[in-house]
Amino acid sequence: MATFTTFLSKPPTNLLYSSPTRITPLQLQHSLNISLFTKFRNQSFTKAHKQPLFITSAVVSPKEKDVSNTDERVKQIHSIDDFDEALRAAKDKLVVVEYAASTSYHSRKIYPFMVDLSRTCNDVEFLLVMGDENEKTKELCKREKIEKVPHFSFYKSMEIIHEEEGIGPDELVGDVLYYGDNHSAVVQLHSREDVEKLIEDHKVDHQLIVLDVGLKHCGPCVKVYPTVLKLSRQMVDTVVFARMNGDENDSCMQFLKDMNVIEVPTFLFIRDGEICGRYVGSGKGELIGEILRYQGVRVTY
C-alpha cells in the first residue's frame, strides 16, 4: 500500500486537476449562519451599516447599551500607549479590537455579542476603542486608518491579520473561531512534517482524517470553519479533523502545490496513509455528505 509520503511527491492521477496549480479565490459564497452560541440564534440582527466616525458629543439614550461600560473581559483602550501595551502583553494570542463611537447605533448593537464571546473564548484578548472618547483615541483611530465604525481588527504578535467592517454576530463568531481557535478538537497543522506525523499517528486506528486546507484571508474558509469545529466535536470518536493555512509559511504553501490544491477551502479525506478523495467548497450539507460517504455511509441526494 502506498504511503502518504508517496502521495506528497506525486498525487494520484484520479485526484489531479487539469487547471493550473495556482490558487484562485473560491467563488462559492454560501451564506452560513452557523453559530455555536445558541443564544445568538433567536436575536434579531441585520448586517450593520458602516457609519462614518464622526467625532461629536451626543447624549446616549438610557435604553441603549453604553458601549463605554465595558465588561471585565473587554479592556477599554484610552490612548496609543494603552493600545500598544495591550498588544505586547497578548504576545501570540489573538487580539480582537472593536473600534466604536458613542453616536453609533450599530456599535451598541454588536458590543454585547463581543462581551459574550469574551466570556467564552478565554484564550482571546478583546479590546474596545471609543474613537470619540478623547484626542488620544482620535489619534489612535487615525494611526490605524479607522474611518467608519463598527470596525473590527484582528492582531497576532502585534501584527494585523484581518479586518472587518459592518459585520453581524455570526460573522464575528466565525472570525474569532477561525483566527483564534487554539484548543478545539481540530488539529492545527503548521508544516508538511505535521501532516505526515498526523497521518502516521492514525494508521493504527484507521480513522478517517478530514484535512481542511485554506488561506488566512479566505472568506469562504472563515465561513465554513464553525461547521468544521462543530463536526469535530460531534464526530470526535470516529473522525479526525485538522486544518492548515497554506499561506502560513513556505512549507504549507509547498504542501498545497504538491497536493494540487488550486481552490480553497479544499477538504482532503485521508485514511490509512492514502488520500481517498477531496471536496472543494464551503457548503455545509455537501461537506457533511462527503464525510459520511467516506465513512461508508450511503448518502442519497
Side-chain angles (χ1 to χ4, degrees):
M1 181 177 293
T3 65
F4 186 73
T5 305
T6 301
F7 280 112
L8 287 180
S9 59
K10 185 178 180 181
T13 55
N14 63 322
L15 295 180
L16 289 175
Y17 284 89
S18 57
S19 13
T21 56
R22 179 177 58 87
I23 295 177
T24 56
L26 183 64
Q27 299 302 315
L28 295 176
Q29 299 286 345
H30 293 278
S31 176
L32 296 178
N33 290 317
I34 308 299
S35 173
L36 300 180
F37 301 90
T38 55
K39 67 181 72 175
F40 292 170
R41 293 176 181 169
N42 296 323
Q43 300 192 40
S44 175
F45 194 103
T46 56
K47 192 172 182 69
H49 297 288
K50 294 175 287 185
Q51 176 174 318
L53 184 55
F54 295 118
I55 309 301
T56 59
S57 59
V59 177
V60 179
S61 168
K63 294 182 181 180
E64 294 289 351
K65 173 70 175 181
D66 185 354
V67 181
S68 63
N69 291 332
T70 61
D71 177 81
E72 65 277 3
R73 281 280 294 129
V74 179
K75 180 179 180 181
Q76 186 166 358
I77 300 299
H78 305 285
S79 67
I80 290 177
D81 289 342
D82 284 354
F83 182 80
D84 291 343
E85 178 56 34
L87 292 187
R88 278 193 295 268
K91 297 182 180 180
D92 60 348
K93 285 185 177 180
L94 176 68
V95 180
V96 179
V97 184
E98 179 188 356
Y99 295 91
S102 62
T103 57
S104 169
Y105 167 78
H106 290 293
S107 293
R108 294 194 295 273
K109 286 288 285 184
I110 193 68
Y111 176 71
F113 295 98
M114 188 172 80
V115 171
D116 286 337
L117 274 174
S118 73
R119 293 167 178 164
T120 306
C121 303
N122 294 322
D123 59 343
V124 178
E125 298 297 326
F126 292 83
L127 308 179
L128 174 68
V129 178
M130 297 298 295
D132 55 354
E133 179 187 355
N134 55 45
E135 291 301 320
K136 293 180 179 180
T137 56
K138 291 179 187 178
E139 285 300 315
L140 174 57
C141 290
K142 183 178 180 180
R143 188 189 78 171
E144 298 300 311
K145 300 178 180 179
I146 309 301
E147 298 178 350
K148 297 180 180 180
V149 294
H151 180 109
F152 287 89
S153 295
F154 299 76
Y155 295 81
K156 269 191 177 179
S157 302
M158 297 193 70
E159 293 186 1
I160 192 164
I161 59 173
H162 185 62
E163 290 183 276
E164 292 271 19
E165 284 185 344
I167 59 174
D170 287 334
E171 291 90 347
L172 179 59
V173 171
D175 286 344
V176 171
L177 291 176
Y178 189 75
Y179 293 106
D181 181 30
N182 296 318
H183 60 275
S184 74
V186 180
V187 182
Q188 309 296 311
L189 304 176
H190 307 285
S191 67
R192 179 193 191 101
E193 290 73 23
D194 287 350
V195 177
E196 293 177 346
K197 184 179 184 304
L198 180 70
I199 298 304
E200 191 65 31
D201 290 345
H202 290 283
K203 278 185 178 180
V204 177
D205 57 25
H206 307 292
Q207 281 190 307
L208 176 69
I209 297 174
V210 178
L211 176 52
D212 175 9
V213 180
L215 299 174
K216 291 180 182 178
H217 303 293
C218 163
C221 300
V222 175
K223 289 180 180 180
V224 76
Y225 189 67
T227 299
V228 175
L229 184 58
K230 190 172 183 179
L231 290 174
S232 73
R233 292 169 176 168
Q234 293 175 341
M235 301 180 174
V236 65
D237 295 325
T238 57
V239 180
V240 178
F241 286 82
R243 178 178 70 155
M244 172 184 282
N245 281 326
D247 52 352
E248 180 175 340
N249 54 50
D250 291 341
S251 177
C252 293
M253 185 55 71
Q254 187 59 49
F255 174 80
L256 265 66
K257 291 178 180 178
D258 291 340
M259 292 296 98
N260 223 16
V261 173
I262 60 174
E263 292 182 322
V264 290
T266 288
F267 294 87
L268 300 176
F269 302 99
I270 306 163
R271 192 193 293 275
D272 298 330
E274 296 186 0
I275 300 177
C276 50
R278 67 175 64 194
Y279 165 67
V280 181
S282 58
K284 175 188 174 185
E286 292 88 342
L287 175 60
I288 294 174
E290 289 298 295
I291 293 173
L292 292 176
R293 184 161 72 91
Y294 289 106
Q295 278 286 79
V297 178
R298 184 177 180 182
V299 180
T300 58
Y301 294 96

